[in-house]
Amino acid sequence: MNYAKISEGYVVQYPYMKRDLLKDNLATSFPKELSPELMLEFGAEPVVIGERPEIDGRTQEISISEWPELVDDVWTILHTVMDKSEGKISEFDNLTASSNRAVRDELLTKSDWTQISDTPLDGDSKGGWAGYRVELRNLTDHMNWPNLNEEDWPMKP
């Protein structure tokens, strides 16, 4: 459990640990295990982590508060959703494009055998694989590029 030292309704220290309580109360003898009730008696209130909101990872990011805030009588670490800058969105897209190219290149490499002259595939099967490979090479022209969904990737024949 996380705690914050509260004085007159304000956070004065976070996190507030057992060692902090002992240091602040040198003349007091404490049991080995400190109960939540005992911590509360000495001004250490429990802190919960608020629910993490769902975000669009491409255009949004989450900031986590450094200090707890009182929400419905519970000291809470809050998550704040913020829009990413154009630079961060561009960086995300570049990383996604690079990753997708690596996956595409690996799929092309793994299907190279289908196009060699002595492949065991019949003409129709070889043609299906050739079409699949064309679709892989054309992925960068897809309307969702580089942020492809599972269904945007071509299916193996």
Side-chain angles (χ1 to χ4, degrees):
M1 169 88 39
N2 290 320
Y3 291 92
K5 175 73 174 186
I6 309 297
S7 178
E8 298 180 10
Y10 294 97
V11 176
V12 293
Q13 184 178 342
Y14 177 77
Y16 192 72
M17 314 293 269
K18 176 181 177 181
R19 69 175 181 270
D20 299 314
L21 179 68
L22 297 175
K23 186 178 90 177
D24 289 347
N25 299 280
L26 294 174
T28 305
S29 177
F30 290 101
K32 185 174 184 176
E33 294 296 321
L34 301 178
S35 69
E37 295 79 19
L38 185 60
M39 294 290 287
L40 193 56
E41 187 178 321
F42 284 86
E45 296 200 25
V47 175
V48 299
I49 307 297
E51 188 173 327
R52 182 181 172 95
E54 293 289 322
I55 63 167
D56 172 356
R58 178 177 179 263
T59 62
Q60 298 174 314
E61 58 191 354
I62 294 179
S63 172
I64 301 172
S65 61
E66 292 183 27
W67 287 85
E69 296 179 33
L70 198 55
V71 177
D72 297 327
D73 294 325
V74 177
W75 290 100
T76 307
I77 296 293
L78 298 174
H79 297 83
T80 304
V81 176
M82 300 177 307
D83 290 334
K84 286 184 180 178
S85 68
E86 287 300 318
K88 284 188 175 184
I89 292 172
S90 178
E91 183 179 321
F92 181 92
D93 287 347
N94 289 338
L95 288 171
T96 302
S98 178
S99 175
N100 284 341
R101 280 188 184 95
V103 170
R104 179 208 51 198
D105 293 349
E106 179 69 17
L107 292 171
L108 284 167
T109 298
K110 286 183 176 181
S111 63
D112 281 347
W113 68 271
T114 66
Q115 301 307 298
I116 59 176
S117 60
D118 62 348
T119 182
L121 298 173
D122 63 32
D124 288 341
S125 295
K126 189 173 180 179
W129 279 99
Y132 167 73
R133 291 168 55 82
V134 167
E135 288 181 51
L136 284 173
R137 286 190 292 275
N138 291 339
L139 269 176
T140 56
D141 296 330
H142 193 284
M143 66 183 199
N144 291 338
W145 181 264
N147 301 296
L148 301 173
N149 299 310
E150 180 97 17
E151 60 271 7
D152 296 332
W153 288 84
M155 298 283 292
K156 290 181 183 177

